[in-house]
Amino acid sequence: MKTMNPQNLSAQEASFDKLADLPFAEGRPTKETAQTLRDELLFQRATQAYLWAMPLINTLGMQVGSEKTFGAGYNILPIWKQRLDAKTLVTTPNSDVLYAMSYVDLGKDGPLVMEAPPGLQGILLDYWQRPIPVEGGKFFGDVGLAGPDGGKGGKFLLLPPGYKGPVPEGYYVYRSGTYNVFIFLRGFFEDPTNLAPAVAHLERTKVYPLNGEAAAKPMKFPDASGIPADMLPISDGSAFDQLKLLVDRESDKLAGPDWLGMLAAIGIVKGQPFTPDAHTREILDLAAKTAYKMSRVIGFQDTLNGGSLYMYPDRHWINPLDNVTPPSPRTTMDLSWMNVAGGYRALDARIWFFTDYYSISPGMLSKIPGKGAAYMVGFTDGEGEPLVGGNNYRLHLPPNIPAAIFWSLTLYDAANASGLDNGQRFPSLGSRDKPAQNADGSTDLYLGPKAPEGKAGNWLATVSGKGYFTILRLYGPTESAIDKSWEPGDIEKVK
């Protein structure tokens, strides 16, 4: 870790000193001191409220961007029918599966049924992006291959908080902690040149009110591919407007009295107008922008909860999920980011995750060979230096890459974790692209502004002046990925 520049530290200390030394007269704050500290208090409260709400702000960013572009309602399920490219701004998307994502409100529409065809991999999450528990206690959030249906498909019933009505037979029952629910589905394809069968399969999904299928709105599946849409976490003052709308819909289902009190302290109260004046609005906007930048600082850390995130003792790959395990009394942290041993919410770990990623479930953490996925994040090269768009790098993948379904490497913009807009159709390269192998069965991938001579099929473009990071995904990781006996090389700088 690099130390802070002493000159910058002195400037920072001077700023703190200025606040601490504001004058009081006869034991009372002067008018100017009071105004300065009131503004500072609003700024600090808003900044901390933003960071606390990072999972909500991530979800709201996706919802606002999607619904603005593709429409809203339980019957609207956008599908990236030509795969997800860099025109869709969203945290760490995967261009190597088909995405379908929607946002439903159980408070407005009541219990909803989602019918899903076989063979999908999906997650049902509340607005904190906590996987929704399935009645019976064995599953959390997962739908499809890792869910209670085991990939056979079926009817999944979403119930709102506190629901006490009848529960009919024949459904997998999910009881949400919030009225608002995020539906995230992945569809798989075998031939990248013919996605139509996988799209048609995803379009067999239906969402409709319980006992209201006959009168339900017809499903719509807008094609989201190639259409500009900003679905990133909201990084300006409008984040607080969206939190106000969510508080109005959720109230005490969203948070406990302390954090509802923090929101109230910046003017966000259920059922009351949220009309900040121009001065307050300016402070809230600056707080949101600052908090988002703070989240980016946390998001590039290589340690959390006092421990290293590195996967291997001699490599620079990080696994964002190694510190998170499915709910169990034996775990160190559950999927609501509670540190079980310490009995506290691991706020930095939650911020770390939701500034760069979204959605999590036990199925994503599966240690059963051939199921789930393994993720390896590369923030730096083999020397521990950040990846630079103008440099050339090589990544060596040893033979027998342990992925039963497929593997891929994807590049992400360091500024916002969205897919790197590098001029190629997709910022990813993987097994289904059939890169050339070496004589021993290993594979070398190349990252840089220009393809090395004769290596274009194994090359991902980078952009000079734009930093990035990478994710190596192994879908259906086999035993050597799970026990870490197979290790990818570091990303090494080359001339």
Side-chain angles (χ1 to χ4, degrees), residues 133 194 373:
N194 182 20

Side-chain angles (χ1 to χ4, degrees), residues 316-340:
H316 288 80
W317 293 100
I318 285 172
N319 186 332
L321 304 178
D322 264 2
N323 207 21
V324 182
T325 45
S328 159
R330 295 182 298 277
T331 61
T332 57
M333 192 184 302
D334 69 21
L335 295 185
S336 65
W337 306 94
M338 281 295 296
N339 183 295
V340 176

Side-chain angles (χ1 to χ4, degrees), residues 146-169:
D149 59 307
K152 296 178 182 178
K155 295 182 178 181
F156 304 85
L157 176 58
L158 282 163
L159 297 178
Y163 179 80
K164 299 186 185 307
V167 179
E169 298 290 331

Side-chain angles (χ1 to χ4, degrees), residues 58-59 62 91-92 99 101 122-125 128-131 182 184 186 321 337 353-354 357-361 364 375:
N58 183 300
T59 314
M62 291 191 288
T91 53
T92 52
Y99 275 14
M101 297 189 283
I123 312 175
L124 301 176
L125 301 127
W128 281 105
Q129 296 201 44
R130 299 172 297 200
F182 172 38
F184 177 33
R186 301 181 187 93
L321 304 178
W337 306 94
F353 190 87
F354 287 103
Y357 319 96
Y358 67 89
S359 79
I360 187 170
S361 74
M364 294 175 65
Y375 303 85

Side-chain angles (χ1 to χ4, degrees), residues 290-353:
T290 302
Y292 181 71
K293 288 185 174 181
M294 288 175 173
S295 81
R296 303 303 301 149
V297 171
I298 293 170
F300 282 105
Q301 290 179 183
D302 55 12
T303 58
L304 283 175
N305 302 318
S308 170
L309 297 177
Y310 289 109
M311 298 180 65
Y312 311 100
D314 57 345
R315 298 285 190 274
H316 288 80
W317 293 100
I318 285 172
N319 186 332
L321 304 178
D322 264 2
N323 207 21
V324 182
T325 45
S328 159
R330 295 182 298 277
T331 61
T332 57
M333 192 184 302
D334 69 21
L335 295 185
S336 65
W337 306 94
M338 281 295 296
N339 183 295
V340 176
Y344 63 85
R345 187 88 59 199
L347 291 178
D348 276 2
R350 193 169 71 174
I351 295 164
W352 191 98
F353 190 87

Side-chain angles (χ1 to χ4, degrees), residues 70 78-88 90 93-101 187-196 198-199 202 222-227 406-410 424-434 460:
F70 308 116
I79 300 175
W80 280 259
K81 299 181 182 181
Q82 300 301 318
R83 300 162 62 185
L84 197 153
D85 60 27
K87 290 185 180 298
T88 301
V90 68
N94 182 357
S95 298
D96 297 292
V97 295
L98 297 186
Y99 275 14
M101 297 189 283
F188 297 95
F189 55 86
E190 295 184 4
D191 182 359
T193 66
N194 182 20
L195 301 176
V199 172
L202 266 174
D223 186 357
S225 292
I227 298 175
F406 70 89
W407 63 265
S408 68
L409 182 77
T410 308
Q424 294 176 313
R425 187 179 179 194
F426 303 108
S428 65
L429 180 65
S431 53
R432 289 181 305 196
D433 300 304
K434 298 180 171 54
L460 276 169

Side-chain angles (χ1 to χ4, degrees), residues 21 26 48 79 116 140 145 239 276 280 310 376 412 463 491-492:
D21 291 339
E26 297 185 355
Q48 292 308 312
I79 300 175
F140 294 83
L145 297 174
T280 300
Y310 289 109
M376 306 176 195
Y412 296 101
V463 181
I491 299 172
E492 302 290 354

